[in-house]
Amino acid sequence: MRPLVSIVVPSYKTVAYIKETMDSILGQTYENLEVIVSDHSSPDGTWELLQPYAQDPRVQLFEQPRGGGAPANWTAATERATGEFLKLVCGDDTIDPTCVERQVDAMLAAPNAVVCASKRRIVNSHGEVLMASRGLGHLRGEVSGPQAVRAAILAGTNIFGEPGCVLLRREALQATGGWDDRFPYVLDLHTYCNVLQHGSFVAVDEVLAAFRLNASQWTIALSQQQSEQVVGFHHKVAEETPGLLTKRELLRADTRARGMAIARRLYYLRVGNKLNPPATATSGSFSKDE
């Protein structure tokens, strides 16, 4: 029987975290799932640490040749999925035991929904909680796709969250061409907004996942690149969806995105010493994947 849910795990140099990630996935209360791990030829022992998980019949392990960064690895993992719903969990993040169950229930209760998201915790490299609840903005319950996209752009940030706290309808993701890396630093947000052209969004107002921050994600140069790509993404969506935003709203969204970049940098200056990873770990984020 084909599993209803596919959880895909792109990993790269996550030897310090991959066991915690995999255990969180395999410890789900929802059991009708497959787990597809695509390791991007990690040189740090991640692949070797994954091998015992192949004994679980739900798990498939693949080694992806180097090159192409996160988009290549995310795509390779996703193309092997067979479930009706798809969740991507990066190799250094975790999901709570009821995450998949709660999100599947929400999607099944909203047949037109193509994207579901929950709130998440922000943790540092040691798993210490930096923010206990983050995400969704003012979105609650089921809202139309354009309404959800508009809310995200006006917020100037990814209110849906990282892939670990999002569940996608795989058919809708395929219909849009998969993970959209035209703006690499908003790879996830851009893809969600593409998918939301095909249906509605459902917000689950619970904290059901954890996203791991590390120092390499918070450099000045990186935050500037991120904010400029967010602005470019805003204008791309506005151009392709006439009437979604007024010129004044678009300007406000751009200003907010740049302000968020400054706020992130100030936050790093305040807590940066708590973000340093263990000596054996390197971020699994797309900015570090190769």
Side-chain angles (χ1 to χ4, degrees), residues 9 12 20 43 47 64 78 89 119 189 193 198 211-212 247 253 288:
V9 185
Y12 178 67
E20 185 180 357
W47 177 248
Q64 173 73 5
T78 299
V89 182
K119 294 180 177 180
L189 175 60
C193 291
H198 293 261
F211 172 69
R212 195 182 305 273
K247 290 183 178 180
K288 296 290 289 182

Side-chain angles (χ1 to χ4, degrees), residues 12-289:
Y12 178 67
K13 296 174 70 174
T14 55
V15 68
Y17 310 119
I18 192 66
K19 184 177 187 302
E20 185 180 357
T21 298
M22 291 297 293
D23 290 347
S24 78
I25 293 169
L26 296 175
Q28 291 297 296
T29 57
Y30 186 86
E31 297 182 348
N32 186 17
L33 53 81
E34 64 178 359
V35 182
I36 299 167
V37 185
S38 178
D39 183 65
H40 216 169
S41 298
S42 297
D44 66 342
T46 298
W47 177 248
E48 290 75 15
L49 194 60
L50 282 166
Q51 296 312 303
Y53 290 100
Q55 299 175 21
D56 190 310
R58 296 171 294 176
V59 176
Q60 303 172 55
L61 302 180
F62 299 93
E63 194 166 22
Q64 173 73 5
R66 294 279 288 277
N73 202 21
W74 289 24
T75 298
T78 299
E79 286 179 345
R80 294 183 171 101
T82 64
E84 180 178 345
F85 301 118
L86 182 136
K87 176 182 287 292
L88 186 148
V89 182
C90 291
D92 54 357
D93 295 334
T94 61
I95 54 177
D96 291 4
T98 61
C99 180
V100 175
E101 180 179 4
R102 295 287 295 116
Q103 292 184 338
V104 167
D105 287 346
M107 291 284 266
L108 293 178
N112 293 323
V114 291
V115 180
C116 174
S118 66
K119 294 180 177 180
R120 77 278 195 198
R121 293 178 301 283
I122 309 297
V123 303
N124 66 10
S125 57
H126 306 288
E128 299 166 340
V129 176
L130 301 175
M131 299 181 188
S133 179
R134 186 81 174 167
L136 298 182
H138 299 294
L139 297 177
R140 297 293 183 273
E142 184 178 9
V143 300
S144 71
Q147 183 181 348
V149 172
R150 175 181 162 82
I153 292 177
L154 290 175
T157 189
N158 184 0
I159 60 175
F160 307 123
E162 296 74 30
C165 54
V166 173
L167 189 69
L168 302 169
R169 196 173 293 273
R170 189 171 63 88
E171 185 177 85
L173 176 63
Q174 289 178 316
T176 65
W179 299 103
D180 193 329
D181 66 341
R182 283 177 286 175
F183 300 95
Y185 289 114
V186 286
L187 168 64
D188 47 4
L189 175 60
H190 194 174
T191 301
Y192 306 153
C193 291
N194 290 344
V195 174
L196 284 167
Q197 302 302 315
H198 293 261
S200 61
F201 170 78
V202 177
V204 177
D205 189 17
E206 300 177 42
V207 176
L208 295 173
F211 172 69
R212 195 182 305 273
L213 285 183
N214 65 81
S216 64
Q217 295 166 316
W218 295 85
T219 65
I220 293 175
L222 181 57
S223 65
Q224 290 174 338
Q225 292 176 46
Q226 288 174 326
S227 65
E228 291 309 308
Q229 288 198 16
V230 171
V231 168
F233 161 70
H234 289 172
H235 287 258
K236 176 258 184 187
V237 173
E239 180 181 344
E240 294 183 354
T241 317
L244 183 69
L245 299 159
T246 66
K247 290 183 178 180
R248 179 173 294 182
E249 287 172 333
L250 185 59
L251 177 61
R252 190 170 77 228
D254 293 346
T255 301
R256 182 163 292 179
R258 293 188 175 101
M260 292 292 292
I262 295 172
R264 284 194 294 267
R265 178 58 184 168
L266 293 174
Y267 182 77
Y268 166 71
L269 291 173
R270 183 164 63 88
V271 303
N273 64 320
K274 297 181 180 180
L275 301 182
N276 295 321
T280 56
T282 302
S283 169
S285 69
F286 57 80
S287 62
K288 296 290 289 182
D289 206 344

